[in-house]
Amino acid sequence: MIRVLLVDDQAVVRAGFRVILNLTSDIEVVGECGDGPGAVELVRTLRPDVVCMDVRMPGGDGLTATRQIVEGATGTAPAVLVVTTFDLDEYVFGALEAGASGFVLKDTEPDDLADAIRRLANGYGLVDQTVTRRVIHEFARRRPPRPRGGEDPGGLTARETDIVRLLAQGMSNGEIAGALHIETTTVKSHLGRAMTKIGARDRLQTVVWAYQQGVATP
């Protein structure tokens, strides 16, 4: 079972999400609260796999809570899925920079919400398709390309760097394997080591890191 914590200042929203997720056979809502500080505390006691986090909450914003959850984790931090009404760049970028693993809008279909939670629980990040291209270009704009001849950030090998760069271009493991003429299992192994070195818990945060460091450009 995927253990989920719901964080939203509107009780009716939390109730709706709980009903949707309780209809699944593999997702369990283990707790809920209405502000960021409460979320940080509940993560420590409930140890959820995924946190569905609102952004704007009177008692404490979701971006600050996301950063505290990710940075304060002892062991593996839960994946944070930001679920918000606001399709605003500042929230998308802020959420990903804070360490969130996914971003969806509150008007997403129920099945898509459940699928997003499953993706995060299995180490795959998710950003709503309407904002993906803007996210990539903004991260690239904020960080200049890495100077040629410089050391690879994160201590990555040349092969690991190539794989991360292709991942940031939107390629699947199979597509990366084809481009580099190696086995898919080899891609998975190299990518796993690269993620460990840079401290990324999932593929989306690996992509964010690649653009921030100038390893990848649009």
Side-chain angles (χ1 to χ4, degrees):
M1 295 290 287
I2 301 170
R3 296 166 54 83
V4 174
L5 172 65
L6 302 177
V7 185
D8 195 293
D9 62 308
Q10 298 184 40
V12 66
V13 172
R14 300 198 306 270
F17 285 170
R18 181 183 286 274
V19 169
I20 291 171
L21 298 178
N22 282 344
L23 293 175
T24 66
S25 60
D26 59 338
I27 299 174
E28 176 188 9
V29 176
V30 296
E32 61 179 74
C33 66
D35 56 54
V40 175
E41 283 299 317
L42 285 180
V43 164
R44 294 194 186 107
T45 58
L46 299 178
R47 303 185 67 81
D49 300 304
V50 178
V51 179
C52 290
M53 180 78 73
D54 191 16
V55 174
R56 290 171 52 171
M57 295 177 287
D61 71 276
L63 301 187
T64 300
T66 295
R67 182 173 288 104
Q68 291 174 343
I69 288 170
V70 173
E71 294 179 352
T74 55
T76 302
V80 177
L81 176 65
V82 172
V83 188
T84 180
T85 307
F86 305 98
D87 176 14
L88 298 178
D89 288 351
E90 62 182 288
Y91 292 144
V92 180
F93 306 137
L96 296 181
E97 288 181 328
S101 297
F103 182 100
V104 295
L105 301 179
K106 285 185 180 178
D107 61 359
T108 190
E109 294 295 326
D111 287 346
D112 291 339
L113 174 63
D115 286 341
I117 290 171
R118 294 186 184 102
R119 283 181 60 87
L120 266 64
N122 286 284
Y124 291 85
L126 177 75
V127 177
D128 191 286
Q129 290 184 355
T130 62
V131 297
T132 299
R133 185 171 298 277
R134 298 203 312 272
V135 169
I136 290 175
H137 280 275
E138 178 64 12
F139 274 119
R141 184 188 68 79
R142 293 183 181 188
R143 297 293 187 274
R146 181 168 52 94
R148 291 186 178 183
E151 293 186 2
D152 289 311
L156 304 187
T157 65
R159 177 63 82 190
E160 290 166 353
T161 300
D162 288 340
I163 289 173
V164 168
R165 184 179 296 115
L166 294 176
L167 175 69
Q169 293 177 12
M171 289 189 181
S172 66
N173 285 359
E175 291 169 335
I176 295 172
L180 298 179
H181 307 290
I182 58 178
E183 296 294 328
T184 302
T185 53
T186 304
V187 172
K188 186 175 181 180
S189 177
H190 280 300
L191 182 57
R193 284 196 291 270
M195 290 169 63
T196 298
K197 288 179 180 179
I198 66 177
R201 77 174 310 279
D202 53 53
R203 295 166 70 95
L204 178 59
Q205 281 298 319
T206 303
V207 171
V208 170
W209 177 89
Y211 282 105
Q212 287 178 323
Q213 297 297 324
V215 170
T217 55

